[in-house]
Amino acid sequence: IERQQAIAVSMSLGLVLDGSNGDLKVSGHSSAEAAVLLQIHGKNELPSKVIPKWYIFVSLLWEPMPVMIWIAIAIEAALGKWMDMSILLAIQIANASIAYYETTKSGDAVA
């Protein structure tokens, strides 16, 4: 059973088992093969996805709740209630600023 497990593990890792006499000597690609595969396929890594900071901030202004606040700001402006409109606008900017700070802080912690 140990040999079967070693074969299964080596196959899943793309390795080749050497020896047919019961030895479990495992070998991988040679340096030349590895260099050719690296040139063909590139490094085994995910591409980094960089989102501009300004886009993160602007996207926070167009989520469902902020859209409702924008509608309320437009209604207050149409009614001429400038004080209420400015309070709602200040709330909108403060909310987006706090969310931006928290989003970028958590993103930096992960990276």
Side-chain angles (χ1 to χ4, degrees), residues 69-85:
I69 295 174
W70 284 120
I71 292 170
I73 290 170
I75 291 170
E76 294 296 336
L79 295 174
K81 296 184 178 180
W82 304 112
M83 181 59 86
D84 292 341
M85 185 204 74

Side-chain angles (χ1 to χ4, degrees), residues 18-51:
D18 289 335
S20 59
N21 59 359
D23 290 1
L24 295 178
K25 191 167 129 185
V26 180
S27 65
H29 294 293
S30 68
S31 296
E33 291 172 328
V36 169
L37 290 173
L38 179 63
Q39 191 174 24
I40 293 170
H41 300 291
K43 291 185 177 184
N44 185 18
E45 62 186 13
L46 294 173
S48 71
K49 183 178 177 185
V50 178
I51 300 173

